[in-house]
Amino acid sequence: MPQCLNLANPAISLTSNSSFSQPWRHTTTSICFSTHPSRLKRIWKGRCCCSAQEQPAKTRSKSPGKKEKTESDKVDPVGFLSKVGITDRTFAQFLRERHKAYKDQRFELYSRFIDLKEASSGYELMGMHRDRQHRVDYMEWAPGARYCSLIGDFNQWSPTENSAREGHLGHDDFGYWFIILEDILREGQEPEEHYFQEYNYIDDYDKGDSGITLDELLKKSHDEYWEPGEVLSREARLEMVAKLYEQFFGPNGPETWEELEEIKPPEERYKEWMEKQKGGSDGEKKPNYEVIDKGQKFDILGIVGDPVSAEKIKMKKPPIAYWVELRKGRKAWMEKYFPAIRHGDRYRVYFNTPEGALERVPAWATCVLPDSEGQQSCAIHWEPPPEEMYKWRHTKPKVPKTSLRIYECHVGVSGSEPKVASFNEFTSKVLPHVKDAGYNAIQLIGVVEHKDYSSVGYKVTNFFAVSSRFGTPEDFKKLVDEAHGLGILVFMDIVHSYASADELVGLSLFDGSNDCYFHTGKRGHHKYWGTRIFKHGDVDVLHFLLSNLKWWVTEYQVDGFRFHSLASMMYTHNGFSTFTGSLEEYCNQYVDKDALIYLILANEMLHDLHPDIITIAEDATYYPGLCEPTTKGGLGFDFWVNLTIPEMWLWHLENAPDKEWSVTKIISLLVNNQTYKSNSISYVENHSQSISGAKSFAEILLSNARGDLNPSDNTFRATSLLKIIKLITFTTSGCAYLNFMGNEFAHPKRVEFPMSSNNHSLALACRQWELLNEEFHKFIFSFDKDMMRLDAAEKILARSAPTVHHCNDSTMVVAYSRGPLVFLFNLHPESSYELYCIGVEEAGEYQLILNSDETRYGGHGRIGSDKYIQRTSDERVDGHRHSLEVTLPSRSAQVYKLVRILRV
């Protein structure tokens, strides 16, 4: 009889002779694949940790550190409405209906996957993966295909060499295709003795190379792991029968029917046996049970077992260590096999569809060449040898939920030369600059693979691959790791609202059908951008998108995401509609309820599995509840991008003379209660203000379009206004502030990606870092750096909303406070003020800690050092009990800190 070793359940033991039972493998695999790939994944995990039957129970079990649900965790689909003062009944009813649809969607998702963790772990199974049993497995979702195979360098691009088998692990009812690439046995090598032989592809030497045999392993497990009575051989099944036979008939009982005397009735024999047990003197424990049915009712679920044995079995870990001892190392694998597909091999997936034969780049490919020297796009098998794999060196920095200073950047335009910069160049040159500038997070745009470089990276073609223009996956890991080593968080722009319409390298018409990943008809196409809109209500599309989010967190250890252009997915008109502010516009027939439900699921998954993750919403329509908890009817984001502030500054710079700026309107937009209630990210400029046709603020100010200033005065005006705009925006921000790469030193040129309109030139697709040595740019950078340091020291962004003390349109002076800090701004282009009275609540001494008029910032130094300490007077001003008399030079800003409190 074959031996059978159950590694999942210690209560099931070993039996004698020969090798492991082969039917176990085939039965398990076939059961799993007849349901869904996620079931197969759990079985494969079960080979090393637990059985398929135990996995669901483990997943559903309560985590030891998980907190009990509190009152705030209870679900209320309209819970946030009272908090923000919304009383619209139609919108409230929409939220209730959306919650019902959310529960239905979640139920459908859980009918295919156990939970959100399983639903977001598709990358562990989909695409190309090396199996420990000397083979490579490939899985793809293409429900519209009739035939599936892999073609590439490894099989001379043959569409018949490596195909999915019909009916046996090849194709399931959900449209998933499964292909196995067996490693090639080298000449002169013998096939494996055991079918289950595993290899460790990372270490050159492993325990399996020690030459231990299976029989020695089983004996070792008998001696070390199993306790007496737990290991029963097949022959041991007769031991109990023989023992009972001896008890009934004695040691010399009858052996033939002729020798057998007349047998007494069972009840009589049982009574005699029980009497003998009671009178026994051998010290053996007597039975405390009855085996004769006397008509009594018993609760079979209430049977009292042996709690000690049950607990012992429960606490016993599966004997994985013994299994691992049979696993051989990379050196042994390389000696015995040629890889079925080598690191760096190009490949594509081949489909036979009703529309004909198609070749596509796999949807789950992790390395892609979207357009290699004019050749057809292809995926790259990324399986570097151990010496080339990146080894993580740094731990993630602590994620602050407030006081985020984000540096937005694009790797490709980060160099100083007119070329596409690389990950390594960014790591060595830009990251140290970001650290020196005082920012604690970077936000990378255009990292995910895209064919069209002029799209800034927003027309994504391959969602699981980093852009090959910038380097390899290992290079990007190094970038993230080095950023973490500098204490800098790494956020990514993620585009799940739409995708590239490219068919050869993207997902459009992936399997020949128009409804694989995207909506059909007009709804599946963006009205203006020529992109495809995801079908967010489909379970398999949700599986793809949720897995994509978790992939970037687990594989590349990114710290958060900014979800790009949510309006494109939340509305069937893609956000290109006039919004008046009416709540009806957020719940009418143009709202895509499936997209909203996806955003809820995405935030729940990310925050449940990665509690420190940061999610940022970019929504030009300001959908109600963006940053409210999902349990209270919100979408669950941590921050939202406030797009109105840069638009306001741009309008003033381009349309309003300096003297006609209304400080009242400016401060009312900046100091808005909604900004602080819902975690907004404020900024002066991001990439949108500088890319393709737009101008940076520095370019607008330095151009002197009005022509009424000499160069020196115009430079001073530009310097002063940039410092004021930066400081007032920064110090009125809710919890986070953002700056686009180069704007911290007033980069004078816009960013323009190569396209047909500029003859595909890279002249403006770079940053002029050498400008940091010039006075104007050095002044702006010094001031920006000291702003960041001020926040690092005083935690400005983490404090409560500003309290406005003074706002005067005629003098153009603004004053407000946050904690012990008082911020003063004089926006008047000509008038300076001596002994200007500003009301303050706390009496004491105030010290000037930041002054934009200092000469090191390009100012005129009009405030003497003797005026850096100011003491309050008892004069009531602006409704406050005390006041300060300060000097306010024209076009300047000052920050005072209360350093000594006077009790009166």
Side-chain angles (χ1 to χ4, degrees), residues 643-657:
L643 303 174
T644 59
I645 295 175
E647 293 174 359
M648 180 265 293
W649 288 124
L650 182 63
W651 184 90
H652 279 83
L653 291 175
E654 292 185 335
N655 300 289

Side-chain angles (χ1 to χ4, degrees), residues 539-829:
V539 170
D540 295 292
V541 176
L542 287 176
H543 181 222
F544 178 84
L545 295 176
L546 292 174
S547 297
N548 184 238
L549 293 172
K550 190 160 175 270
W551 161 259
W552 291 105
V553 178
T554 56
E555 181 69 14
Y556 294 104
Q557 299 190 17
V558 300
D559 303 290
F561 299 100
R562 189 195 75 148
F563 285 73
H564 171 73
S565 187
L566 295 186
S568 296
M569 63 187 290
M570 294 195 303
Y571 308 96
T572 56
H573 52 62
N574 307 130
F576 285 85
S577 178
T578 302
F579 279 81
T580 63
S582 170
L583 285 172
E584 186 272 338
E585 296 166 339
Y586 300 112
C587 58
N588 58 23
Q589 70 271 25
Y590 301 109
V591 176
D592 191 337
K593 199 177 295 182
D594 291 335
L596 295 174
I597 292 172
Y598 162 69
L599 294 175
I600 294 173
L601 290 171
N603 276 295
E604 287 185 342
M605 181 275 293
L606 287 171
H607 288 99
D608 286 349
L609 300 182
H610 308 280
D612 291 332
I613 204 78
I614 296 291
T615 59
I616 303 169
E618 184 200 43
D619 174 28
T621 69
Y622 308 109
Y623 194 87
L626 276 176
C627 295
E628 299 297 335
T630 58
T631 55
K632 302 302 178 185
L635 299 184
F637 288 97
D638 296 301
F639 298 94
W640 62 279
V641 181
N642 192 337
L643 303 174
T644 59
I645 295 175
E647 293 174 359
M648 180 265 293
W649 288 124
L650 182 63
W651 184 90
H652 279 83
L653 291 175
E654 292 185 335
N655 300 289
D658 295 356
K659 290 183 178 180
E660 297 180 11
W661 287 19
S662 171
V663 294
T664 301
K665 291 181 179 179
I666 291 173
I667 204 67
S668 65
L669 187 144
L670 293 172
V671 184
N672 187 322
N673 287 335
Q674 187 65 19
T675 300
Y676 303 94
K677 289 180 180 178
S678 52
N679 299 343
S680 74
I681 296 178
S682 300
Y683 64 94
V684 176
E685 299 175 84
N686 74 346
H687 68 277
S688 298
Q689 275 67 44
S690 306
I691 287 181
S692 300
K695 292 183 178 180
S696 68
F697 287 1
E699 187 174 3
I700 294 172
L701 288 168
L702 291 173
S703 64
N704 191 15
R706 296 178 300 174
D708 56 352
L709 297 174
N710 61 54
S712 176
D713 291 342
N714 186 62
T715 300
F716 177 75
R717 170 179 177 266
T719 305
S720 301
L721 285 179
L722 281 174
K723 289 183 292 184
I724 288 175
I725 291 172
K726 282 175 174 288
L727 184 62
I728 196 171
T729 303
F730 179 73
T731 56
T732 55
S733 299
C735 299
Y737 175 81
L738 180 141
N739 171 76
F740 180 62
M741 177 177 60
N743 291 338
E744 72 278 6
F745 61 89
H747 196 282
K749 297 293 184 180
R750 64 186 182 277
V751 177
E752 191 168 275
F753 283 81
M755 58 186 69
S756 58
S757 61
N758 60 15
N759 294 321
H760 302 282
S761 171
L762 288 165
L764 292 177
C766 57
R767 298 275 86 179
Q768 297 175 330
W769 299 104
E770 66 276 7
L771 293 177
L772 283 167
N773 298 320
E774 298 184 9
E775 278 196 346
F776 169 76
H777 303 283
K778 186 189 297 184
F779 293 151
I780 298 297
F781 179 60
S782 296
F783 185 77
D784 191 274
K785 187 196 303 187
D786 286 348
M787 276 198 325
M788 301 302 116
R789 290 176 177 173
L790 182 63
D791 178 68
E794 303 294 341
K795 299 292 184 291
I796 299 174
L797 301 181
R799 296 186 182 276
S800 57
T803 302
V804 179
H805 295 197
H806 182 88
C807 188
N808 190 318
D809 277 332
S810 61
T811 60
M812 300 182 71
V813 173
V814 176
Y816 55 85
S817 64
R818 294 185 79 168
L821 303 178
V822 178
F823 304 90
L824 306 176
F825 297 87
N826 179 10
L827 277 72
H828 203 285

Side-chain angles (χ1 to χ4, degrees), residues 141-299:
W141 180 61
R146 295 175 175 175
Y147 173 86
C148 176
S149 67
L150 283 174
I151 58 175
D153 295 333
F154 61 96
N155 63 4
Q156 291 72 52
W157 302 89
S158 170
T160 59
E161 185 73 20
N162 301 101
S163 61
R165 294 169 289 179
E166 282 290 344
H168 181 67
L169 299 183
H171 185 207
D172 72 355
D173 295 337
F174 295 99
Y176 286 84
W177 297 86
F178 183 63
I179 300 174
I180 295 177
L181 306 179
E182 295 282 357
D183 288 339
I184 304 168
L185 196 66
R186 292 180 184 270
E187 186 176 353
Q189 295 290 334
E190 296 292 330
E192 299 291 351
E193 180 182 358
H194 309 296
Y195 84 92
F196 52 80
Q197 180 63 61
E198 294 185 352
Y199 287 88
N200 179 344
Y201 302 103
I202 303 300
D203 300 328
D204 283 341
Y205 177 80
D206 204 2
K207 293 182 178 180
D209 296 326
S210 61
I212 187 171
T213 65
L214 183 62
D215 291 335
E216 292 173 339
L217 174 66
L218 295 178
K219 184 178 184 304
K220 187 177 180 180
S221 66
H222 272 260
D223 297 339
E224 299 178 0
Y225 183 82
W226 303 106
E227 297 181 11
E230 290 183 342
V231 180
L232 299 176
S233 63
R234 291 192 177 275
E235 290 77 3
R237 297 178 181 180
L238 301 176
E239 292 178 3
M240 181 64 71
V241 178
K243 185 175 181 180
L244 289 174
Y245 183 86
E246 184 176 343
Q247 287 182 351
F248 275 107
F249 298 104
N252 299 317
E255 297 182 4
T256 64
W257 285 105
E258 290 76 9
E259 296 177 2
L260 185 63
E261 300 176 356
E262 183 181 356
I263 300 177
K264 298 178 182 179
E267 292 83 358
E268 185 176 345
R269 294 201 313 272
Y270 178 70
K271 288 179 181 179
E272 292 178 359
W273 181 75
M274 287 295 293
E275 289 297 328
K276 291 179 181 180
Q277 298 300 316
K278 292 178 181 179
S281 59
D282 55 359
E284 185 179 356
K285 186 177 179 181
K286 304 304 182 251
N288 56 358
Y289 52 82
E290 294 281 348
V291 297
I292 298 296
D293 185 6
K294 295 183 179 181
Q296 299 179 3
K297 292 184 178 181
F298 294 96
D299 181 8

Side-chain angles (χ1 to χ4, degrees), residues 447-462:
V447 169
V448 187
E449 188 61 89
H450 52 285
K451 183 177 180 179
D452 184 6
Y453 189 49
S454 66
S455 71
V456 199
Y458 288 125
K459 292 184 178 180
V460 176
T461 51
N462 310 98

Side-chain angles (χ1 to χ4, degrees), residues 457-470:
Y458 288 125
K459 292 184 178 180
V460 176
T461 51
N462 310 98
F463 285 78
F464 289 84
V466 297
S467 178
S468 56
R469 290 182 182 86
F470 311 142

Side-chain angles (χ1 to χ4, degrees), residues 25-36 39-40 43 52-53 169:
R25 179 195 186 199
H26 295 297
T27 303
T28 305
T29 312
S30 61
I31 288 174
C32 124
F33 213 80
S34 64
T35 52
H36 188 263
R39 314 297 184 192
L40 180 61
I43 298 297
Q53 289 80 9
L169 299 183

